[in-house]
Structure formats: C-alpha cells, structure tokens
Amino acid sequence: MASHVDWECRIFLIPLTPNQDTLRIIGNVLDSKFQGSLPRPVDKYWRLGEAAIARWDLDGKWYRAKVLRINFDECTVEFVDYGTVEECKIEDMRKDLFMTEIPVQCFPLHLTTVQPVGDKWEQSILDFLHSSVVDQTLSVSVASTARDSEDNSSRGVMGKLTTQAGLDIGQLLIRNGYAKLREGANDTL
C-alpha cells in the first residue's frame, strides 16, 4: 500500500501484512512511553541524520523519525515508517529510542520507466499521482535496489506499480502526458 508521494516522485510503500499490526504495536509502545512527556535538556540539540521519536502535530501521536534539516526551534523530520516529511517543533522530539530492533516499515520506490516531462515534477502531477496510489493496494515489481555507499543500506527500489485492476501507473502517467519514458527504458505502451 502506498503511504506518500514526495517531491522527487518517490512513492513510499508499506507492505500490507504483517506491517499493519507491526505499525500499530510500534505506535502503541511509543505513545505509552511519550504521551504527556516533557523534553529533557538533551532533547533540544539535534544532528542531521539522527534518529528520533517525534510527535506528529496532526494526530498528536509519536512516531519513529530521522532528522533531515535543523532550524532554530524546529526540525524537518522524515517519519521513517511512513515516508512523510514534516516540520516538527524541537519540544515534540525525543532522543530516547524505542522499537529500534524492528526494521523500518516503509520503503521508497522510483518508477523505473518514467521521468518528468520538464526539469522537475510539477505539483499538480504529484497530486494526481498521490490521489491515484495512496491508500491503494498495489502490486510491486522490483527492477533493482539502490544502496547507500556509506553503510550499504537500502535507499529504495526501482520498479513498477500496478493497480489491482492491472493498470500500470507508469504507463498511466505517460499516456496522460504527465511523464515521459525514461531514457534507456524499454516499456511497451
């Protein structure tokens, strides 16, 4: 199931089972540990890439996160189990980590066969893609895995998404003029 589409047209995927149970358990543990907690002095200082537990302001719940950018009184974080990126107040972030033995429950997918028509993806196209795939059950065909050279961890996969009705999402984007065939890709439309 897709949870999020970012500005680079990466589609963040959460496998359906047993992930929903795992996400619920992670959320229950973090909420029980941090609901009503106050930040300690150490919770006020962050480094790029540092793991954190952060409260999402829309639902007030606590999630596993990674610091992407640091501002004076807030950080940009990625909620790693969902792929969403949000601004988070420093007072809503904690350094005490729990549930670290459980792998991240979400991974980004780059569509193998498409690239933006212009220099970058337009917001209207990303909005269309978001409304077409988020919270939908999709089939994923993995073409390759991108690795991080520093620690050899996965940075995401290249692949193809297909709806339950058999519609290829990359072909949908190309046919509607929202994307063009990636150079070197040999997709049959």
Side-chain angles (χ1 to χ4, degrees):
M1 178 169 41
S3 67
H4 175 67
V5 178
D6 74 4
W7 291 103
E8 297 173 25
C9 199
R10 291 183 301 179
I11 302 164
F12 288 80
L13 301 171
I14 301 172
L16 285 178
T17 53
N19 282 60
Q20 296 305 315
D21 288 337
T22 303
L23 289 170
R24 183 180 46 74
I25 291 167
I26 292 169
N28 288 343
V29 168
L30 297 180
D31 284 343
S32 72
K33 294 285 186 185
F34 296 105
Q35 212 57 274
S37 70
L38 296 173
R40 299 172 303 149
V42 70
D43 293 326
K44 296 178 182 179
Y45 304 99
W46 295 93
R47 293 186 317 258
L48 289 178
E50 189 171 8
I53 304 296
R55 190 178 71 79
W56 189 34
D57 65 346
L58 289 181
D59 66 4
K61 296 184 181 219
W62 295 85
Y63 298 93
R64 300 189 300 178
K66 177 181 176 182
V67 176
L68 301 179
R69 191 174 67 228
I70 303 166
N71 301 320
F72 176 69
D73 61 348
E74 65 183 16
C75 291
T76 303
V77 300
E78 176 184 3
F79 292 104
V80 296
D81 292 313
Y82 297 90
T84 54
V85 175
E86 300 286 338
E87 298 297 319
C88 188
K89 295 177 184 171
I90 299 272
E91 64 200 39
D92 291 334
M93 296 174 63
R94 304 291 185 269
K95 289 190 181 250
D96 286 334
L97 303 179
F98 290 91
M99 308 304 286
T100 57
E101 69 282 1
I102 298 175
V104 170
Q105 300 296 297
C106 180
F107 64 93
L109 175 98
H110 296 270
L111 294 173
T112 306
T113 58
V114 299
Q115 65 185 43
V117 173
D119 292 338
K120 62 180 185 169
W121 293 99
E122 294 179 20
Q123 181 174 345
S124 61
I125 295 167
L126 296 173
D127 289 344
F128 168 79
L129 182 58
H130 180 93
S131 67
S132 299
V133 301
V134 168
D135 293 332
Q136 301 299 313
T137 302
L138 304 161
S139 294
V140 180
S141 300
V142 176
S144 65
T145 304
R147 308 299 285 177
D148 189 327
S149 59
E150 287 184 20
D151 62 4
N152 201 33
S153 63
S154 176
R155 288 186 302 148
V157 298
M158 297 287 290
K160 175 179 169 178
L161 283 181
T162 308
T163 66
Q164 286 184 314
L167 180 64
D168 180 302
I169 297 299
Q171 289 179 1
L172 173 71
L173 293 172
I174 292 169
R175 286 186 180 141
N176 286 290
Y178 296 146
K180 63 182 180 182
L181 190 62
R182 184 181 302 276
E183 292 181 26
N186 54 1
D187 190 34
T188 55
L189 298 176

